[in-house]
Amino acid sequence: MARPRDTAVDAKVLEAARALLRERGYAGFALDEAAARAEVARTTVYRRWPSKDHLVVAAFATMFETAPIRETGDVRADLTGTLTAIAAGLRLPATRALVAELIAAGTRHPELGDALRPLWTQRRTAAAELIDRAVARGELAADADPALIIDQLVGPLYYRVLISGDPIDDCFARALVDTTLARHR
Amino acid sequence: MARPRDTAVDAKVLEAARALLRERGYAGFALDEAAARAEVARTTVYRRWPSKDHLVVAAFATMFETAPIRETGDVRADLTGTLTAIAAGLRLPATRALVAELIAAGTRHPELGDALRPLWTQRRTAAAELIDRAVARGELAADADPALIIDQLVGPLYYRVLISGDPIDDCFARALVDTTLARHR
DNA sequence: CGAGTTCCGCTACGCGTGTTTCGTAACGAG
DNA sequence: CTCGTTACGAAACACGCGTAGCGGAACTCG
């Protein structure tokens, strides 16, 4: 009963939030301005997303895209390609900062952590299937644990970007794949 | 020339900040309250640390301690011990949240990222020496790259805690060490 | 058409961060 | 001891986040 929500408002706000996020990053993102750009009252935004963090995560989820992996049939090449693709994105300072803020948001609000997880692990599950097929082809040992392998491939990437600050060049990505695969053949 | 700063103020504020950080974590940390507890004006705090982030990092740096690694002579045991020690700390939700916020602070202010890096990498360099000595003993292959090995050991830990959310039990730590060492022997 | 419910915008408020300005008191140099 | 410099404290301000209350308008149902 009663008046339904204007779904156009959700779309307008998310669109404005995406633009603002791209232009100024998380730090420069002001909820007031997102509302103003969407030509909507601030209170109306709060009626849909209970906090800035929630809105930012929702906006990020709609602009997060992963290029599909082109599978060549050679695990080494496929994994290297996946890693360099991830690395290329993380190298951008803006992306790096946004990722850090999103992770922090995910620890502040557990439900946001839950919402973000599928986004992060999307490429990860694709890579897991890559490994499964390589095992089926006999390219990798049958006892290879895809989850562990991927943690050892992707983990160091995020670790370097977020924590140690070491560079993540393509040479590093190749070295990761090489040493990891050597164990399972 | 002129009046010198009261160094007791620095100590009092840092002490109050540490206590507040332990009690309420980063989110519940209010600079006003830290100043009040130190019986100091807010402006005085800002004269020493230009932002909440700076104060928190400074306070964290003084309460970050790493238990020294007891070296048994068996690389596998030593590395497993180091990893489980790191994992034990990271498993605490409070620590997890603080680490996430500190990383975000490090991306907002590059100088804070620089200040934090030595803290994170302290255990890492200790582990690197562990590996160096193992190589010298002939326990590991001479071509083993300590930096790469450690990235593959520690990276997955942080990756799971901060991103994938997967559990980091001691079994996982053992598996990491096992598969990594198997490659270099 | 009328009644009830819900949405939307507006205003006001409390809180925390960070800046600025001012007056006062402490210290060092001559 | 006096003077110039600087630290400290107090107050006011701007800004962004988040909450609450109100009035008007839109929509649904009987």
Side-chain angles (χ1 to χ4, degrees), chain B residues 90-115:
Chain B
L90 251 40
R91 252 195 300 268
L92 306 171
T95 309
R96 194 193 111 105
L98 184 54
V99 168
E101 296 291 355
L102 289 172
I103 292 173
T107 71
R108 283 188 291 258
H109 313 280
E111 71 274 21
L112 292 185
D114 296 340

Side-chain angles (χ1 to χ4, degrees), chain B residues 135-181:
Chain B
V135 171
R137 282 199 305 272
E139 230 184 316
L140 288 181
D143 68 340
D145 177 357
L148 187 62
I149 292 177
I150 294 178
D151 282 351
Q152 289 201 293
L153 290 175
V154 182
L157 238 47
Y158 281 92
Y159 178 75
R160 284 201 167 196
V161 168
L162 296 175
I163 294 167
S164 81
D166 291 330
I168 46 170
D169 46 25
D170 291 356
C171 165
F172 176 62
R174 244 192 320 275
L176 279 175
V177 175
D178 284 350
T179 61
T180 305
L181 289 189

Side-chain angles (χ1 to χ4, degrees), chain A residues 11 16 32-33 61 68 89 94 105 121 124 126 142 149 153 157 164-165 168-169 172 182:
Chain A
D32 301 45
E33 197 174 345
T121 55
R124 175 202 170 94
I149 292 177
L153 289 175
L157 238 48
S164 82
I168 46 170
D169 46 25
F172 177 63

Side-chain angles (χ1 to χ4, degrees), chain B residues 123-147:
Chain B
R123 245 177 321 213
R124 174 204 171 93
T125 54
E129 292 166 12
L130 221 58
I131 293 176
D132 280 338
R133 280 192 288 273
V135 171
R137 282 199 305 272
E139 230 184 316
L140 288 181
D143 68 340
D145 177 357

Side-chain angles (χ1 to χ4, degrees), chain A residues 5-15 17 31 34-35 38 40-59 62 112:
Chain A
R5 281 214 178 149
D6 185 354
T7 55
V9 168
D10 299 62
K12 275 195 299 181
V13 174
L14 282 177
E15 170 60 32
L31 203 140
V40 150
R42 219 172 63 255
T43 47
T44 300
V45 176
Y46 276 107
R47 243 165 238 129
R48 291 153 212 257
W49 298 278
S51 80
K52 166 179 167 173
D53 282 344
H54 287 76
L55 173 58
V56 168
V57 168
T62 67
L112 293 184

Side-chain angles (χ1 to χ4, degrees), chain B residues 61-81:
Chain B
T62 67
M63 69 181 182
F64 185 88
E65 286 176 22
T66 310
I69 307 169
R70 255 189 303 154
E71 205 164 343
T72 66
D74 176 20
V75 211
R76 174 180 311 256
D78 292 341
L79 287 179
T80 306

